[in-house]
Amino acid sequence: MFAFIINRILQAIPVMLAVALISFAMFAYVGDPVAIMLGQDFTEAQRDALVHDLGLDQPFWVQFATFTGHAIRGEFGLSYRLSRPVAELIGERAPATLELAFCAAVLALAVGVPMGVYTGLYRNSWLSRFFLTFSLVGVSLPTFLIGILLILVFAVWLGWLPSFGRGDTVQLGWWSTGFLTWSGIKALILPSITLGLFQLTLIMRLVRAEMLEVLRTDYIKFARARGLPNRAVHFGHALKNTLVPVITIVGLQLGAIIAFAIVTETVFQWPGMGLLFIQSVGVADIPVMSAYLLLIALVFVSINLIVDLLYYAVDPRLRIGRGKGGH
Amino acid sequence: MSNTAPLLQVKNLRVEFPTRRGTLVALDDVSFDIAPGEVLGVVGESGAGKSMTGAAIIGLLEPPGRIARGEILFAGKRIDNLRYEQMRRLRGKEIGAIFQDPLTTLNPLYTVGHQLVETITTHLPLNPAEARKRAIEWLEHVGIPAAAQRIDSYPHEFSGGMRQRVVIALALCAEPKLIVADEPTTALDVSIQAQVIALLKTLAREKGTAMMLVTHDMGVIAETADRVAVMYAGRIAEIGPVREVVKHANHPYSAGLMASIPPLDRRVERLAQIDGAMPRLSAIPQGCAYNPRCPQVFGKCRELRPDLLDAVTTRAACWLYDTETARG
Ligand SMILES: Nc1ncnc2c1ncn2[C@@H]1O[C@H](COP(=O)(O)OP(=O)(O)O)[C@@H](O)[C@H]1O
Ligand code: SF4
Ligand SMILES: [Mg+2]
């Protein structure tokens, strides 16, 4: 088990290094940080000094090593745009994105899985058809359009929910949370739906397809032949066997939720990392962009590890070396 | 056995599959009885309708397949028209089933103990601890060594033969009166087929369980069955006591099937090949379904379909045993 985790972490290192290299290349070669930082008026001496300070006169690999070393310690330098440490900026924005992603993921799972099970079990029911049609809408409408439609209906016409921002937040140490105030919770609703809807429909369709597949297997037929009640057959035997593929996709989608929060955050002016990233792209604020890229890569790699561990928990066939082996 | 009231009665069973291109008749006019404790062997080429008959009996025909005509009676009561929940209570408890492939019949994500205990507690008034004790006893019955330890193993930790023993334990653990065993050894290694059949036979004898045993293995039929039904293209071609059908088959198809069975000392042989192929359901010929392949075919065979007729030692669906035809 422990060796398995270590093994997975070792496998993740090259991936992170590759992303770091891209990040760094962007840092070093996209735009001219020196020109951006110096502004309009500068002398040749000032320029040389800055180049030296930034280490830009060093060989490529030395620069990359320095960059990586800093990145590991969470140091990405100063934002060109805001002249504040990037780590601090991201730290301020992370709670907003993570709370939003959490709500979207919970919504996608808590609604998507039961809908998938239902449509898998009752293929031809009226409600199943409705869910499937609804899921087509969720899959095909672009996120920004869903966001705008929701704003139009619930914020503009009905006036029930705010159209932008996080509402009132409460500071818990460095973490600012919207969960503790009524306006914070209200502000979360529309963005969570917007962000989670695509994943919700995806999870529903996936669970449905897997259920249909599993319900045809011999062990389900045998479970029925043993006279087990439907509840045990459907939820004990069938649903559990759909979990392995579902965990994979849900894991990847969780990463996607965080990464694609960019669009939702832009539509709702949600003060998270995605909005920070978009604002940084506009002015080529490279340190923020490269830090964000690395962070997203780290999220994906961590989720992958968690997914592997969950497999391990769900599927006994992967737990090698257990028991006495077969004969 | 003829004086015992039958445990299972299948009467004129017809199973249909509605499809876009018309209705397929998978089983037609299938009738047979099984007495308490009796073993009925069922043989016939692949696609003859053996599994379909088993599925109809345990009430698990795959939709859109449905019983279009006929009745199935168990212990004197109709079971073909029961609602799902009523039939569910019979499955496992009164009528057990064993499928072909033990590698796919057990849920890979649960221990064999879990699967045994859930079956036992579904049907018998035992608490989980008692059910677990019963489960261990059953694993011992079916010959799993160190059952008390192995009960917490997962299916993949057992070999194919051991898994089929577990499947047998699962099918028998609520002590049903009838077992539908659909090719229980076909997927197993040849070297262990005999052991598994012997186990099934012993347990059925011990508990007085009746069995519908579908198999391709004539050696198994000869040793295990009391009576044999030969199926062809969704119908019963011949049915009768095992000795008669195996040694002196009356129906030309059964005779062809039995013709090249090796002597009993070389058992575990597959069915002999008969020239030609069984017709597809959508293209069953008029008259006797076997007529294109039958060496003894005559005029009437191409026009009318024979019902099961009295052939003295057995009953055979063949015009050769029609007294009027013989006379005229
Ligand atoms: N779902 C289905 N739809 C239509 N026909 C089917 C279906 N399942 C089986 N059949 C047909 O029913 C016939 C009997 O099949 P089966 O009982 O499995 O044969 P056996 O077990 O004797 O090999 C075959 O011709 C098969 O093609
Ligand atoms: S009815 Fe005719 S064709 Fe059919 S088996 Fe008998 S002899 Fe052959
Ligand atoms: Mg079959």
Side-chain angles (χ1 to χ4, degrees):
Chain A
M1 179 74 178
F2 188 66
F4 173 81
I5 298 177
I6 297 292
N7 185 13
R8 282 313 159 104
I9 291 176
L10 287 179
Q11 284 176 10
I13 288 177
V15 176
M16 287 309 296
L17 277 178
V19 177
L21 192 61
I22 295 168
S23 240
F24 168 70
M26 189 165 80
F27 193 78
Y29 301 111
V30 177
D32 182 353
V34 177
I36 294 169
M37 288 174 86
L38 284 174
Q40 302 290 320
D41 284 327
F42 58 90
T43 65
E44 204 56 27
Q46 275 175 316
R47 192 189 134 83
D48 289 346
L50 186 61
V51 166
H52 184 73
D53 283 350
L54 291 174
L56 296 179
D57 51 355
Q58 303 273 337
F60 177 86
W61 290 110
V62 175
Q63 289 189 43
F64 180 54
T66 316
F67 172 85
T68 309
H70 286 159
I72 289 170
R73 273 170 280 150
E75 291 168 16
F76 292 90
L78 296 180
S79 153
Y80 299 157
R81 181 169 65 101
L82 301 165
S83 302
R84 289 176 51 203
V86 172
E88 201 177 296
L89 285 172
I90 290 190
E92 274 172 17
R93 303 296 196 99
T97 297
L98 293 178
E99 288 190 352
L100 174 59
F102 174 78
C103 291
V106 167
L107 176 79
L109 278 174
V111 180
V113 172
M115 271 167 70
V117 171
Y118 180 86
T119 52
L121 290 179
Y122 307 101
R123 250 184 303 178
N124 299 319
S125 87
W126 179 87
L127 195 57
S128 290
R129 278 169 211 198
F130 171 76
F131 283 160
L132 284 176
T133 316
F134 160 81
S135 81
L136 271 184
V137 176
V139 170
S140 51
L141 275 190
T143 304
F144 75 89
L145 200 60
I146 293 172
I148 289 170
L149 285 176
L150 287 176
I151 289 177
L152 189 67
V153 175
F154 293 97
V156 179
W157 290 351
L158 297 172
W160 291 350
L161 297 166
S163 63
F164 68 91
R166 284 187 84 188
D168 299 327
T169 57
V170 174
Q171 208 67 31
L172 299 173
W174 64 275
W175 185 280
S176 71
T177 179
F179 285 143
L180 297 178
T181 67
W182 184 227
S183 85
I185 290 172
K186 281 209 301 196
L188 267 165
I189 296 174
L190 292 185
S192 304
I193 296 175
T194 307
L195 183 56
L197 195 63
F198 178 79
Q199 270 71 25
L200 186 158
T201 52
L202 200 76
I203 289 172
M204 177 195 126
R205 289 185 153 258
L206 178 77
V207 170
R208 173 177 179 274
E210 287 297 327
M211 279 299 276
L212 289 178
E213 184 89 25
V214 169
L215 286 173
R216 277 197 294 268
T217 60
D218 285 351
Y219 55 81
I220 293 300
K221 255 183 253 164
F222 190 53
R224 291 194 197 285
R226 285 187 279 146
L228 300 185
N230 270 341
R231 189 173 18 86
V233 175
H234 294 160
F235 297 99
H237 287 265
L239 184 59
K240 192 166 182 192
N241 274 281
T242 67
L243 284 184
V244 167
V246 169
I247 287 170
T248 319
I249 302 294
V250 168
L252 291 176
Q253 289 307 314
L254 203 63
I257 281 183
I258 294 177
F260 291 128
I262 293 176
V263 177
T264 305
E265 290 187 4
T266 309
V267 172
F268 288 91
Q269 288 298 296
W270 189 263
M273 296 186 292
L275 192 60
L276 177 69
F277 178 75
I278 284 293
Q279 289 162 344
S280 306
V281 170
V283 295
D285 194 345
I286 304 291
V288 176
M289 287 160 66
S290 61
Y292 180 78
L293 194 63
L294 268 174
L295 192 69
I296 292 297
L298 185 65
V299 166
F300 270 95
V301 165
S302 319
I303 288 176
N304 250 320
L305 180 67
I306 294 170
V307 163
D308 283 342
L309 290 177
L310 283 177
Y311 278 174
Y312 211 75
V314 169
D315 195 335
R317 284 166 294 189
L318 300 176
R319 286 174 233 150
I320 341 153
R322 189 190 175 284
K324 281 162 214 71
H327 276 295
Chain B
M1 269 199 219
S2 53
N3 290 332
T4 340
L7 177 67
L8 180 81
Q9 290 170 277
V10 177
K11 293 184 180 171
N12 309 103
L13 181 67
R14 178 181 171 103
V15 170
E16 292 181 351
F17 278 82
T19 69
R20 243 171 280 150
R21 280 185 286 150
T23 300
L24 290 179
V25 181
L27 294 181
D28 198 9
D29 210 12
V30 170
S31 301
F32 60 88
D33 293 351
I34 300 182
E38 185 186 34
V39 177
L40 176 74
V42 179
V43 296
E45 282 163 284
S46 192
K50 307 180 296 292
S51 301
M52 196 73 69
T53 309
I57 293 169
I58 59 175
L60 289 178
L61 281 175
E62 268 172 52
R66 61 186 193 92
I67 296 178
R69 208 184 296 154
E71 295 181 354
I72 301 173
L73 287 86
F74 182 80
K77 293 199 187 69
R78 269 186 82 167
I79 57 169
D80 57 287
N81 57 358
L82 292 183
R83 267 177 293 132
Y84 185 90
E85 180 60 20
Q86 293 173 303
M87 190 61 203
R88 178 195 63 80
R89 288 167 196 276
L90 292 185
R91 279 198 291 268
K93 177 84 180 81
E94 303 290 338
I95 307 177
I98 297 171
F99 296 145
Q100 184 170 335
D101 189 352
L103 300 189
T104 56
T105 314
L106 297 170
N107 189 332
L109 302 187
Y110 289 111
T111 62
V112 301
H114 176 105
Q115 300 184 51
L116 272 163
V117 167
E118 71 178 348
T119 312
I120 293 170
T121 51
T122 298
H123 297 298
L124 304 176
L126 297 179
N127 67 36
E130 294 163 340
R132 189 180 158 87
K133 235 182 99 215
R134 185 70 65 89
I136 294 172
E137 288 166 14
W138 269 106
L139 290 178
E140 283 164 358
H141 278 325
V142 296
I144 305 278
Q149 284 98 60
R150 301 288 281 167
I151 188 170
D152 293 317
S153 302
Y154 288 91
H156 72 275
E157 297 173 284
F158 292 88
S159 66
M162 284 295 158
R163 273 192 241 190
Q164 196 64 317
R165 286 168 189 266
V166 172
V167 170
I168 291 172
L170 278 164
L172 292 174
C173 64
E175 311 212 346
K177 299 185 185 68
L178 174 70
I179 289 283
V180 176
D182 192 353
E183 306 194 29
T185 57
T186 306
L188 297 181
D189 203 77
V190 177
S191 58
I192 50 174
Q193 289 182 350
Q195 300 168 17
V196 171
I197 283 291
L199 170 72
L200 201 52
K201 190 174 151 185
T202 313
L203 288 175
R205 280 277 140 79
E206 256 173 41
K207 310 273 173 192
T209 314
M211 184 153 53
M212 172 176 148
L213 176 63
V214 177
T215 176
H216 284 291
D217 187 333
M218 287 303 161
V220 165
I221 291 287
E223 276 176 35
T224 316
D226 300 307
R227 283 188 306 137
V228 188
V230 179
M231 291 192 72
Y232 188 81
R235 286 169 167 254
I236 291 185
E238 183 165 9
I239 183 165
V242 65
R243 245 170 305 108
E244 304 300 335
V245 176
V246 171
K247 290 265 167 64
H248 317 284
N250 291 313
H251 192 287
Y253 176 64
S254 333
L257 268 187
M258 309 300 163
S260 55
I261 304 173
L264 269 180
D265 47 78
R266 272 174 46 217
R267 56 187 310 280
V268 197
E269 292 292 333
R270 294 298 161 120
L271 289 185
Q273 216 50 51
I274 302 172
D275 282 347
M278 198 173 59
R280 278 178 296 124
L281 292 184
S282 50
I284 293 179
Q286 200 196 337
C288 171
Y290 189 54
N291 80 58
R293 299 167 79 185
C294 181
Q296 299 175 57
V297 58
F298 57 101
K300 194 172 184 180
C301 307
R302 297 201 179 85
E303 282 150 32
L304 292 170
R305 186 167 291 193
D307 289 325
L308 278 179
L309 299 168
D310 206 341
V312 189
T313 49
T314 67
R315 290 172 63 74
C318 173
W319 288 128
L320 293 174
Y321 303 96
D322 181 36
T323 42
E324 277 170 40
T325 315
R327 245 183 270 129

